Amino acid sequence: KTGAIIGAEALIRWQHPERGMISPAEFVPLAENTGLIVPIGEWVLRTACKQMSVWKSKGYQIDVMAVNVAGPQITRTDLVSLVKCALAETRLDPGCLEVEITEGFVMHDPRQTIRLLHELKALGILLAIDDFGTGHSSLAYLKHFPIEKLKVDQSFVKHITGGKHDAAIAQAIITLGHSLDLKVIAEGIELEEQQKLLHSMGCDEGQGYLFGRPITAKAFEQLLL
Ligand code: MN
């Protein structure tokens, strides 16, 4: 509605000394299979909290830093302790950190996840369900999740102006989210028509190439300035 920057999502790229920039689509699945995703994820969380803490102390107008958390970080490590430590080390206001967990993972073991989400919530952070609409959601569980936000998967946004089906799904997710007192953010907005349509549907927030491509922290700071 305002066009203002409300937050940032921490993304990772691999600058390889010989092969150049390597896409996360290439190395994240590998990191997940080898277990390296655990130390990488830990580094990402700590680095993102540190960066956000610096930006907040400089007084920039930014509300939230979103950090993606992978399944193995939840099943193989103590995510709650990690988040707690990262917040303490960086003295970041917990209300400025949003942890994103994919719908596919959340629904894998909903009972276990509800417990974890409540423990994370108790730290004062925000929680979002990522890639919503693609992960076999159980609506019966959704109402028990202590979350703030649904992220409409980019696959629905991509063809939203092209056919009535994707528009209908996006509208349904927005309506569902609002009925549960959740905010809804659309992922992967690339065109103004998509933004206009989503806005008319009542979608609260948006992200994607229309607003900004992935950039370095330094470049993002220029944007905030
Ligand atoms: Mn995400």
Side-chain angles (χ1 to χ4, degrees), residues 140-155:
Y141 283 115
L142 191 60
K143 65 178 180 186
H144 294 299
F145 292 155
I147 55 174
E148 274 73 32
K149 204 180 275 184
L150 295 180
K151 301 195 74 174
V152 181
D153 189 72
Q154 53 182 324
S155 59

Side-chain angles (χ1 to χ4, degrees), residues 9 68 100 130 151 187:
E9 178 173 355
N68 296 283
E100 296 186 6
D130 208 359
K151 301 195 74 174
E187 300 182 285

Side-chain angles (χ1 to χ4, degrees), residues 93-127:
D93 171 3
C96 295
L97 175 67
E98 183 173 84
V99 164
E100 296 186 6
I101 304 176
T102 64
E103 184 190 34
F105 182 81
V106 162
M107 292 301 170
H108 185 68
D109 187 353
R111 283 165 200 273
Q112 191 78 26
T113 308
I114 289 172
R115 210 173 309 141
L116 171 82
L117 293 181
H118 277 286
E119 285 179 44
L120 287 171
K121 190 80 245 171
L123 300 177
I125 66 167
L126 306 169
L127 296 167

